[in-house]
Amino acid sequence: LAIAKLKCLRYLVRTFGVRNLLSVLLEHGPSAYLARAAKFCANWGVPEAHRPATLSALSSWAREVGMLSALERAELTGRGGSYLRFLEPCLEGRGRQHAASSPADAGRSEKLRGYAMLLVNLTGAPLPPEDLAAYGRGLLPLARRGGGGGGGKLQPGTVATTDFPPGGRLLNTGVPTLVLVLPPRDGADSRWRKMYERCAGLESVGAGLKGRVFRGLSPAQWDEAVKGLPPSPLAAAAAAA
């Protein structure tokens, strides 16, 4: 049965992961959509080795929809499979999000999309949208997470934020995760400094976090760190499956 479902995976994703969940994405946003997408994978028995790559592709689709105009978004629900006009280029790496990137940015984004990213904002101030865009370029922004895991499971191809040191419930999900901790600004309350110090031991909190926790990097320094990242384990797993 699992092999039969794997052979039908392309159809299952396009029908039950995209078409049937369009209303969730359009009406409730990407966080709710990806939560339902994860249930789709479980309910239809998508093989474990293929789930992260499937959810990464659906994250990319959600980001693509966010870049469409109001008229194009309305067209998604039209008759005759109009959504496929936007879906196929997205899945083939020819969508809006890819066209808007330079070759260097495209390569960086492609590497990052194999991971889930958690941005721990301990600056003591709200994270400016331009900073989130700079650190998570090419990733789908999700709703803020609580330190203990509130907000749902992290998914490949997404960037989530929290303003509290993350715990094991949030980090031990089986999804390759990158954690970037932003330090307190000058003059920030002492509680932010204490939380930043607690993050020094984050690599021991989640399995597989060794070498994936970064602290105090500027956007330019983060770009350099991404260049040195190995390919996500998802790529190797998908190739071997």
Side-chain angles (χ1 to χ4, degrees), residues 12-56:
L12 291 175
V13 168
R14 282 158 174 75
T15 302
F16 299 100
V18 175
R19 188 193 68 185
N20 289 9
L21 294 181
L22 268 176
S23 61
V24 177
L25 177 58
L26 295 173
E27 296 172 17
H28 302 287
S31 294
Y33 169 71
L34 288 180
R36 289 286 298 274
K39 290 183 179 179
F40 146 72
C41 287
N43 292 342
W44 282 93
V46 175
E48 290 287 347
H50 290 265
R51 290 189 190 185
T54 297
L55 290 170
S56 179

Side-chain angles (χ1 to χ4, degrees), residues 100-185:
S101 302
S102 67
D105 283 346
R108 173 187 183 277
S109 298
E110 188 62 30
K111 179 180 284 189
L112 280 179
R113 275 193 282 268
Y115 295 91
M117 180 178 174
L118 181 64
L119 196 54
V120 185
N121 177 26
L122 301 181
T123 62
L127 186 68
E130 58 269 23
D131 285 1
L132 177 60
Y135 285 115
R137 190 161 58 241
L139 300 179
L140 176 69
L142 296 181
R144 188 180 69 83
R145 263 41 179 180
K153 180 179 176 180
L154 300 176
Q155 300 291 1
T158 67
V159 54
T161 61
T162 182
D163 54 8
F164 196 84
R169 182 182 173 190
L170 184 59
L171 296 176
N172 286 306
T173 62
V175 174
T177 301
L178 303 173
V179 181
L180 176 58
V181 187
L182 302 183
R185 295 179 176 180

